[in-house]
Amino acid sequence: MASAAVAVRRKPAGLTTTPTWAWALPPVLILALGFLYPLALVVRQSFTPESLGETTPESLGETTTGASLAPYAEVFASTAFREALTTTVWLAVGATVGCLVLGFVLALVIAFVPFPGGKAVARFIDVFLSFPSFLITLALLFIYGSVGMANGAWTGVTGAAEGPFHFLTTPWGVLLAEITYFTPFVMRPLLAAFSQLDTAQLEVASSLGAGPLRIVRQVILPEALPALAAGGSLVLVLCLNEFGIVLFTGAKGVTTLPMLVYSKAILESDYPAACVVAVVNIVLSVGLYSLYRVVSRRAGA
């Protein structure tokens, strides 16, 4: 019986004779062909001046010579790039701050204020994370768009030719849409952190005469800081790369780095410049993602 049990536990001969590196080879090849190779082509094209020949998406894989920093110098010197970089950074930072404030308040209410349907709302946060960003933008357009419900109600009551709500096509509309969409990404780690908070600390602080604001400031906020940092870092990374929200709001005067890549590549057919902007965006994103991983590791997320 013992020998039979040992025989059952033995691995098939085919698995024992296969080298370990052979099992890692298929996913590495898929990653290299599906991601690393196209990324390498983009980086190489960013160092290829357009004067070396006509540049098209089909020519990205062709062998070219004469790598140069001229495309970078030209892009960095352009006003469009500097404005896009500034817009991208301030929108990402503004949306992150808004998400942190709004997400903290909403998570506090859901976690510590008993109300009917609180658990359902908490579960809905998980579902909300799966929604595409353009869906939230379309919802805002239905409400605050030029022909949305808010303007329709205004014109119906006042008889005016048009309503007063036109902010969705401005940077503030993009900011509102990003805060609306990304706030649950802050709330999720906060709710997880609040669920692990020892309620005895809150009871002791309350029995000692501490008010709600003091309890939040001195007891809850210190425990929530790691989750806030992790959620804020993730939102910052996502906002830097957000394309759908800016596109669907129709904010023509708002040009971010992803929108500039689209404009250079699709509208102007300036592929070296588009690749330069893409490389800059990738560097910013990878740097912030590394920061997010460090913060998440320290927060235990």
Side-chain angles (χ1 to χ4, degrees):
M1 292 293 293
S3 60
V6 172
V8 170
R9 288 197 296 268
R10 287 176 181 171
K11 295 181 179 179
L15 294 179
T16 57
T17 57
T18 304
T20 305
W21 60 266
W23 293 104
L25 189 59
V28 169
L29 288 176
I30 294 174
L31 179 63
L33 293 176
F35 174 73
L36 296 180
Y37 179 65
L39 179 61
L41 294 179
V42 171
V43 173
R44 187 180 68 176
Q45 189 63 48
S46 70
F47 290 97
T48 305
E50 196 171 15
S51 58
L52 289 179
E54 183 181 359
T55 308
T56 64
E58 293 78 9
S59 67
L60 290 178
E62 297 178 2
T63 303
T64 56
T65 59
S68 171
L69 292 174
Y72 282 86
E74 182 179 352
V75 170
F76 290 169
S78 66
T79 303
F81 171 78
R82 293 195 296 269
E83 291 179 351
L85 180 61
T86 302
T87 302
T88 302
V89 171
W90 88 257
L91 278 176
V93 173
T96 301
V97 173
C99 290
L100 288 175
V101 174
L102 182 60
F104 183 71
V105 173
L106 293 178
L108 274 178
V109 173
I110 294 174
F112 299 109
V113 179
F115 64 93
K119 292 184 179 179
V121 173
R123 287 193 293 267
F124 176 74
I125 298 300
D126 296 330
V127 178
F128 190 93
L129 297 178
S130 64
F131 288 175
S133 59
F134 69 83
L135 182 63
I136 306 303
T137 308
L138 285 177
L140 291 175
L141 286 173
F142 286 142
I143 299 174
Y144 299 109
S146 300
V147 292
M149 291 186 297
N151 283 322
W154 179 274
T155 56
V157 172
T158 64
E162 60 180 16
F165 304 105
H166 302 285
F167 62 89
L168 278 183
T169 57
T170 68
W172 300 109
V174 176
L175 188 64
L176 173 64
E178 291 188 349
I179 292 175
T180 302
Y181 178 70
F182 289 113
T183 293
F185 289 83
V186 174
M187 295 177 63
R188 184 64 268 171
L190 278 176
L191 291 174
F194 290 159
S195 66
Q196 300 176 0
L197 183 64
D198 187 3
T199 56
Q201 301 180 42
L202 306 181
E203 296 173 357
V204 169
S206 179
S207 65
L208 294 175
L213 293 180
R214 187 174 181 182
I215 293 176
V216 171
R217 186 176 67 254
Q218 297 185 353
V219 180
I220 298 178
L221 183 58
E223 297 292 333
L225 283 178
L228 276 173
S233 301
L234 177 60
V235 169
L236 186 61
V237 173
L238 294 175
C239 288
L240 280 176
N241 298 285
E242 182 55 43
F243 176 77
I245 288 178
V246 183
L247 182 65
F248 274 83
T249 54
K252 298 180 180 179
V254 180
T255 303
T256 59
L257 290 180
M259 287 295 295
L260 187 60
V261 173
Y262 172 81
S263 176
K264 291 292 184 182
I266 305 301
L267 303 181
E268 302 178 21
S269 298
D270 188 355
Y271 297 103
C275 291
V276 170
V277 179
V279 169
V280 172
N281 207 1
I282 290 171
V283 171
L284 289 175
S285 300
V286 171
L288 286 174
Y289 179 75
S290 302
L291 176 63
Y292 162 71
R293 292 300 303 167
V294 171
V295 173
S296 298
R297 194 177 300 114
R298 292 183 178 180

